[in-house]
Structure formats: C-alpha cells, structure tokens
Amino acid sequence: MRRREFIRVIAGSSVALPLASRAQQAATPVIGWLSARSPAEAASVLQAFRQGLGQVGYFEGKNVTIDYRWAEGRYDQLPALAADLVRRQVTVIAATGGEPSPLAAKAATTTIPIVCTLGGDPVETGLVVSLNQPGGNLTGTTIMAVEMGPKRLDLARQLVPNATAVAMLVNPSFPTASAEVREVQNAARAAGIQITLLNASTANEIDTAFTTGCRT
C-alpha cells in the first residue's frame, strides 16, 4: 500500500512525518489496526478511516483486510497486541488512540511501516529523532496537544473571568500527561490561577475525580 495514500487516510493535523521505509506489496494488503481505545470509543475515527481508504480505492473485505487489536484503555496490553500483529506480518500498522499505540508498535518492529496519530511532541516521547528527519519506520501526524493546554486554560478564563482556581483532569498513565500538566501549570502560575490536578485512568476514577473537583 502506498505511503501517500496512508498519510491521506490517517492525517488530520498539522505536522506530518516522512516515512523512511515501506512494506512490500502484498496481493491483499493487511492493515494492522492497533488502538489504545475501545471499538465504541473509536467508532467515529474508524468510520473516517474506512472512508479515507475508500477515497483512495481500498475497501475492507474486497481489496484490503483490516486486522483489529483493541487495548480498551489497558495500555499494558498494547505490547502484546503489537507483537501479535508483527507475527501476522501485516503490511502496515495503523497505531491510533494517542502515543501508547505507536510506542508499542515501534518497540515491536523496525521494519513494518507504522502510521500513527499523536497528540504530543513525537521527539519528546522518543518516537522519532527529529521532525525533519525522523528516520526509522514511523510516520504520521500530531496536533501538538501539549502546547494546546495553556490555550484551553485561557479559554476557561474567558468563559469565567473571575475564576481563581481551575481543576485539570489528567490520565497519569498517558505518556504526555506530565508534559501537559507542566505547560498548564506554568500558564496558570503566570495568570495567578490555582490548578487542582484530578488524576483518573478509568471510568470509575473519572466519576470520583468529578465528585472531588466539585467539592474543591
């Protein structure tokens, strides 16, 4: 499957990384779909992915196969799922759901092309050496979400101008969590706002965090 076609399918952001290698053409290409999320959570993303494939002439079940692996929020499962896709010798791995998926995929193979979607800085997370010359077998896009943290705080200030304290919901298991917290805390300090961190990695913990935040 051609590199530009996969970038067009998965790209949706501002920064695209060039790919250094590509897989050999197969009679029926097999896409290894590796997601940190659940099928229900990623339904809209998957729909867009299939639509993008169709736009470049690939249709699941006809001339391309998609082999799905879902971690459903259990990041510790991703290495085994990625290794399974490598054993099946998929043509390319589409690593979605944020940094945990491409990190697992990169650790599992240095030869199968990996196309990913990211939220943070791929250099800081160790996915690539640099944006201009990433090297290796990984390409994709990032929205640089870490840098968006202070912008979200500024939006909250505009919505509630008199706010002096803001709660920030954080998944401590996510690779870019500490960087995003740092950026928001720096912005809050400059604005004289107190930031309360609410850690949550599961649905139950999110409910608890909201309850705690409302009492703060």
Side-chain angles (χ1 to χ4, degrees), residues 27-212:
T28 300
V30 179
I31 303 170
W33 176 274
L34 182 66
S35 177
R37 299 174 178 173
S38 66
E41 185 182 4
S44 61
V45 174
L46 185 54
Q47 180 181 4
F49 182 78
R50 289 171 176 151
Q51 181 180 355
L53 285 176
Q55 290 173 353
V56 292
Y58 289 97
F59 300 92
E60 185 178 8
K62 294 183 178 181
N63 58 353
V64 68
T65 299
I66 305 179
D67 202 352
Y68 299 97
R69 296 294 181 276
W70 304 95
E72 301 192 5
R74 299 187 296 272
Y75 299 154
D76 60 328
Q77 301 295 314
L78 284 167
L81 297 176
D84 188 41
L85 290 174
V86 172
R87 284 192 297 269
R88 292 175 180 270
Q89 298 182 335
V90 297
T91 309
V92 62
I93 296 176
T96 71
E99 278 74 1
S101 294
L103 284 169
K106 182 183 179 183
T109 179
T110 58
T111 57
I112 297 175
I114 301 166
V115 183
C116 62
T117 54
L118 308 171
D121 186 343
V123 177
E124 185 172 346
T125 53
L127 285 167
V128 298
V129 177
S130 73
L131 294 179
N132 292 331
Q133 296 181 325
N137 59 320
L138 185 144
T139 186
T141 61
T142 177
I143 61 174
M144 304 298 278
V146 171
E147 287 74 10
M148 294 298 294
K151 295 296 184 181
R152 297 189 185 98
L153 178 63
D154 184 60
L155 179 60
R157 291 182 61 203
Q158 294 180 40
L159 293 173
V160 189
N162 297 326
T164 58
V166 174
M168 180 178 180
L169 187 64
V170 179
N171 180 354
S173 302
F174 203 78
T176 62
S178 59
E180 187 166 0
V181 167
R182 182 183 65 243
E183 293 292 325
V184 172
Q185 286 179 327
N186 289 340
R189 191 176 301 110
I193 294 177
Q194 177 184 348
I195 291 292
T196 299
L197 296 180
L198 304 176
N199 292 322
S201 300
T202 66
N204 289 337
E205 290 176 351
I206 290 176
D207 290 339
T208 301
F210 271 106
T211 300
T212 302

